[in-house]
Amino acid sequence: MRPRLILCNKDFEKMKIVMLGAPGAGKGTQAKQIAAKYDIPHISTGDIFRANLKEGTPLGLKAKEYMDKGSLVPDELTLELIMDRFTQPDCKNGYVLDGFPRTIPQAEALTKALADNKDEIDYAVNVEVPDERIIDRMSGRRACAKCGGTFHIKYNPTKVEGVCDLCGGELYIRDDDKPEIVKKRLDTYHAQTQPLIDYYEKAGKLKEVDGTQDVDKVFADIVKVIEA
Ligand code: ADP
Ligand code: AMP
């Protein structure tokens, strides 16, 4: 049987966390650390779309049409994908969601799917970073083609340039990290995703952290709000 994870007299078994924040705010970077610390799966819809694209599946090719433009993949397609992911056995232990939900209908669908099982998310953690910092973050982002690890040429450089520290895979620049697409993604974020901050605040789930600090400090702040 899986041992129960008990920290600070609080039971973190089956914890469900939503990561909020602009593209490039550091959601993925933090979600990976949260997943490791609390032994829950890290579920990134962006990673799933990219994995499908790499395999050339119809879903991946369809998603690419939207990703390349800096737009969101339609809710219907995204919801089908995530609801299927939730049926996998590892989700019984909770999860940290990175990049989902990204629209109010997605958030409502998540709330309803959980409520149908008398469940709910525990926290929505908003990693707050102003737009002017985002451009810098995304232009320096490098991703591993093999394991999905994320680095930054200035803020989180790899030991050997162009080579993943985690698995030795080759690093690449995401197509949607080009400056003209980044601007469109930020517009998309403000129009469609930012309203989720209000949605989760009204639900009493919102926790805010200052994402402009270094990676370790942001993580320490997230742990503090989760374990408070
Ligand atoms: P998101 O998942 O929100 O799109 P990422 O986690 O991929 O964002 O981070 C975007 C880029 O910024 C990456 O290159 C990452 O290494 C870097 N980064 C993440 N957190 C920080 C931070 N606190 N300070 C500086 N750079 C960061
Ligand atoms: P990310 O890796 O989270 O930055 O996502 C990359 C791209 O995938 C986004 O710009 C969207 O085009 C698409 N995407 C990821 N998650 C979602 C989602 N929940 N809803 C719609 N589109 C998404």
Side-chain angles (χ1 to χ4, degrees):
M1 211 175 102
R2 186 172 172 270
R4 289 172 78 78
L5 186 67
I6 301 184
L7 304 167
C8 304
N9 299 322
K10 219 173 152 183
D11 188 349
F12 293 98
E13 181 105 327
K14 300 189 175 174
M15 184 159 62
K16 296 183 181 68
I17 300 177
V18 164
M19 299 301 290
L20 296 176
K27 300 181 298 295
T29 302
Q30 298 300 329
K32 287 183 183 84
Q33 295 200 44
I34 294 170
K37 181 172 174 77
Y38 297 106
D39 194 21
I40 52 179
H42 166 210
I43 302 178
S44 154
T45 37
D47 282 353
I48 301 175
F49 286 136
R50 281 185 289 277
N52 271 272
L53 181 58
K54 207 167 149 190
E55 285 166 26
T57 69
L59 170 74
L61 295 171
K62 186 87 201 134
K64 183 178 161 56
E65 287 174 31
Y66 300 91
M67 292 165 84
D68 282 353
K69 285 190 292 199
S71 308
L72 295 183
V73 177
D75 286 341
E76 202 184 273
L77 214 62
T78 306
L79 284 167
E80 197 181 311
L81 170 107
I82 197 87
M83 293 305 162
D84 176 63
R85 179 67 184 86
F86 287 153
T87 64
Q88 292 180 23
D90 61 340
C91 288
K92 286 194 174 68
N93 302 326
Y95 38 72
V96 52
L97 298 178
D98 161 18
F100 177 89
R102 250 181 163 105
T103 65
I104 293 285
Q106 289 182 15
E108 287 172 347
L110 174 64
T111 302
K112 180 169 184 319
L114 288 168
D116 286 348
N117 290 313
K118 298 191 172 29
D119 203 355
E120 58 187 355
I121 68 146
D122 296 286
Y123 306 106
V125 177
N126 184 36
V127 183
E128 176 64 33
V129 176
D131 285 10
E132 52 277 18
R133 296 261 194 128
I134 294 291
I135 311 284
D136 187 35
R137 290 253 182 118
M138 282 157 107
S139 59
R141 172 158 59 186
R142 298 291 181 269
C144 175
K146 210 163 130 194
C147 77
T150 309
F151 303 91
H152 192 283
I153 50 170
K154 232 188 319 182
Y155 307 122
N156 183 19
T158 47
K159 290 188 191 83
V160 179
E161 198 184 320
V163 179
C164 178
D165 278 355
L166 306 174
C167 75
E170 198 182 330
L171 300 186
Y172 73 103
I173 302 175
R174 276 170 50 173
D175 283 345
D176 59 353
D177 278 350
K178 293 181 186 125
E180 63 280 13
I181 311 288
V182 168
K183 196 173 167 321
K184 177 70 198 329
R185 291 171 69 197
L186 276 173
D187 291 345
T188 302
Y189 167 75
H190 290 301
Q192 292 181 264
T193 309
Q194 205 172 8
L196 295 185
I197 297 174
D198 206 35
Y199 177 89
Y200 282 113
E201 175 150 46
K202 285 192 178 120
K205 304 289 182 191
L206 188 69
K207 302 284 177 189
E208 301 261 17
V209 296
D210 175 3
T212 64
Q213 312 172 94
D214 69 43
V215 172
D216 292 347
K217 180 70 173 75
V218 177
F219 185 60
D221 283 1
I222 292 175
V223 169
K224 217 185 288 170
V225 296
I226 290 175
E227 297 188 3

